[in-house]
Amino acid sequence: MEYTQLGRTGLKVSRLVLGTMNFGPQTEEAESHVIMDAALDAGLNFFDTANVYGWGENKGRTESIIGNWFAKGGDRRDKVVIATKVFGGMNAEGKPWPNEDRLSALNIRRAVEASLKRLQTDHIDLYQFHHIDRRTPFEEIWQAIDVLVQQGKILYAGSSNFPGYKIAQANEMAARRGTLGLVSEQCLYNLAERRAEMEVIPAAQEYGLGVIPWSPLHGGLLGGVIKKENEGGRRASGRSAAALADTAVRAQIQSYEDLLAEHGIEPGEAALAWLLAQPGITGPIVGPRTLDQLKSALRAVELELGEELLTSLDEIFPGPGPSPEAFAW
C-alpha cells in the first residue's frame, strides 16, 4: 500500500480511505468486520465514518460497529487513523432539540463524547465538520476544538463539503488564535464532477490541507454501469438511473466505458486511479459493501494511467480549467 502525509500533519495515511457508510445499513456487522480486517491486512490504515451513519433510527450504528471491531484487540485501534464527523442531529426522527445538531460548542462537546463511547476509544484522530454552519462563528468552533485537543480527545480537525472561501475563513481565524486549523477537506470530486478544481482544491492546497474526495464513482455512474446493464447485472438506480436517462450523459458514460475496454481496464478502478493521479489528493474514499468491492478498489492503487489515457479521459470529462480562467465569461 502506498502512503502519504495527511496535509500539513505528521500523520502517514494510506492513499485509499475506507469509507464505512455502508456498515450497518447495507453490510451486517460480521461482514463489516471481515472487510475492515482485510483492509488492514492490505495496509489500508485510514478509516472514515460519521456520527450519523446508520441513518434514521440507527444513527450511530456504524461507529458502534467500528468500536466493536476495535474491541477485538490485536492492536486494531493503534494501527488505524480514525476519522469521524459532527453536524447532523442524532434524533431518530430528524427533529433535534436546540443544540443537538450543527457546530455549536455545546453540540461539539456532546457529540465527541458520544462518538468516543461508540467507537470505544479514548481519542479521535481526525474530527471533521460534516457541513458548514452559518449560525456558529468560527471563534466559537475553534474554542471548542482547542479544548478537545488540549484534553487529548481529538488530534486534528478537518472539514467536509466546505466551499473554498469557508476553508479560508476557518484557517484565517485559527491562525489569529495561534492554532493549527483545518488539516483536511472532504469534498465531492470525481471524473464526472470536477467543480472542486475551481476553488476548493486550490484553497486546500494554499492552506496545506489534504483532500479526501468522496463519491469517487459518482454514485456508481463511473463503475461500469452500462456494461453491467448489458450483461444482465445490477441495473442503475436512484441518481445514476436518473442521470443515464439523459441521452447526452449516457453517451458520455458509454464513451468512457468504451475507452477503458480498449485498454482492458475496469471503469471503477480507472476512476479511482484517475483521482490518485490528481495534484493535491490525499486519497479517495471507497465505501465497499462487500469484500470483492474492497479488492477491486485496492487494485486501483497499483494502476498507472498513461498520459495518453489521461488526456483521453479529460476529453470525455473536461474539467473547468484553472482559476481564474475557469470563471471567464
Side-chain angles (χ1 to χ4, degrees):
M1 173 62 64
E2 186 180 351
Y3 296 90
T4 187
Q5 297 287 124
L6 177 61
R8 53 206 169 96
T9 76
L11 283 179
K12 294 283 283 186
V13 295
S14 50
R15 295 219 61 205
L16 279 184
V17 184
L18 181 67
T20 61
M21 68 289 293
N22 289 318
F23 295 173
Q26 297 193 47
T27 307
E28 294 298 323
E29 180 163 344
E31 180 66 12
S32 299
H33 287 189
V34 169
I35 292 172
M36 286 188 280
D37 279 333
L40 199 58
D41 287 344
L44 200 159
N45 77 331
F46 195 5
F47 290 14
D48 177 76
T49 191
N51 61 347
V52 295
Y53 288 173
W55 313 113
E57 295 182 353
N58 294 310
K59 289 177 182 177
R61 175 62 177 150
T62 304
E63 284 187 332
S64 295
I65 288 173
I66 298 170
N68 292 338
W69 181 73
F70 284 153
K72 288 183 173 183
D75 295 328
R76 285 175 171 83
R77 176 62 187 98
D78 292 338
K79 293 176 180 176
V80 166
V81 174
I82 186 69
T84 192
K85 309 182 193 75
V86 57
F87 183 87
M90 295 299 287
N91 186 286
E93 288 75 33
K95 298 177 181 178
W97 286 86
N99 303 311
E100 285 190 343
D101 68 346
R102 299 182 179 268
L103 302 179
S104 71
L106 182 55
N107 186 53
I108 288 174
R109 177 181 175 179
R110 288 171 172 168
V112 78
E113 294 293 349
S115 286
L116 288 169
K117 184 177 180 179
R118 286 188 292 265
L119 289 166
Q120 301 187 50
T121 185
D122 64 353
H123 74 281
I124 293 162
D125 299 305
L126 178 63
Y127 200 51
Q128 302 164 110
F129 312 130
H130 211 156
H131 299 281
I132 60 172
D133 181 359
R134 293 183 175 87
R135 302 177 189 177
T136 306
F138 279 117
E139 294 95 325
E140 176 179 344
I141 294 170
W142 285 128
Q143 178 175 278
I145 294 299
D146 291 345
V147 170
L148 293 173
V149 171
Q150 290 163 8
Q151 292 174 338
K153 293 179 180 178
I154 69 171
L155 299 184
Y156 302 101
S159 58
S160 177
N161 303 305
F162 271 34
Y165 81 98
K166 282 294 181 182
I167 291 173
Q169 282 184 351
N171 272 21
E172 290 299 325
M173 176 54 65
R176 288 198 290 273
R177 292 177 56 84
T179 56
L180 187 60
L182 300 173
V183 303
S184 64
E185 160 61 16
Q186 190 175 130
C187 61
L188 174 61
Y189 182 44
N190 55 56
L191 262 169
E193 176 48 82
R194 297 178 60 173
R195 284 177 292 180
E197 294 174 4
M198 297 174 72
E199 287 190 352
V200 174
I201 293 175
Q205 290 179 297
E206 183 69 22
Y207 285 96
L209 277 64
V211 177
I212 310 167
W214 61 268
S215 195
L217 303 188
H218 206 50
L221 206 60
L222 299 172
V225 63
I226 296 177
K227 176 184 177 182
K228 291 173 184 175
E229 282 185 0
N230 293 339
E231 293 176 350
R234 183 178 178 183
R235 297 184 63 83
S237 59
R239 295 179 183 177
S240 293
L244 286 176
D246 184 319
T247 54
V249 172
R250 190 175 187 89
Q252 187 181 39
I253 298 300
Q254 187 66 69
S255 297
Y256 166 71
E257 293 188 13
D258 289 345
L259 171 66
L260 296 173
E262 293 174 7
H263 290 79
I265 300 174
E266 289 296 322
E269 294 172 20
L272 289 171
W274 180 85
L275 278 169
L276 289 166
Q278 301 311 301
I281 301 302
T282 299
I285 298 173
V286 296
R289 297 187 304 273
T290 67
L291 190 58
D292 284 343
Q293 289 180 347
L294 173 65
K295 291 176 179 178
S296 175
L298 289 168
R299 287 194 292 271
V301 180
E302 308 300 327
L303 180 61
E304 292 189 14
L305 306 179
E307 288 300 322
E308 183 179 343
L309 180 53
L310 288 169
T311 299
S312 296
L313 289 170
D314 277 338
E315 291 172 354
I316 296 173
F317 298 105
S323 300
E325 290 84 358
F327 295 95
W329 287 65

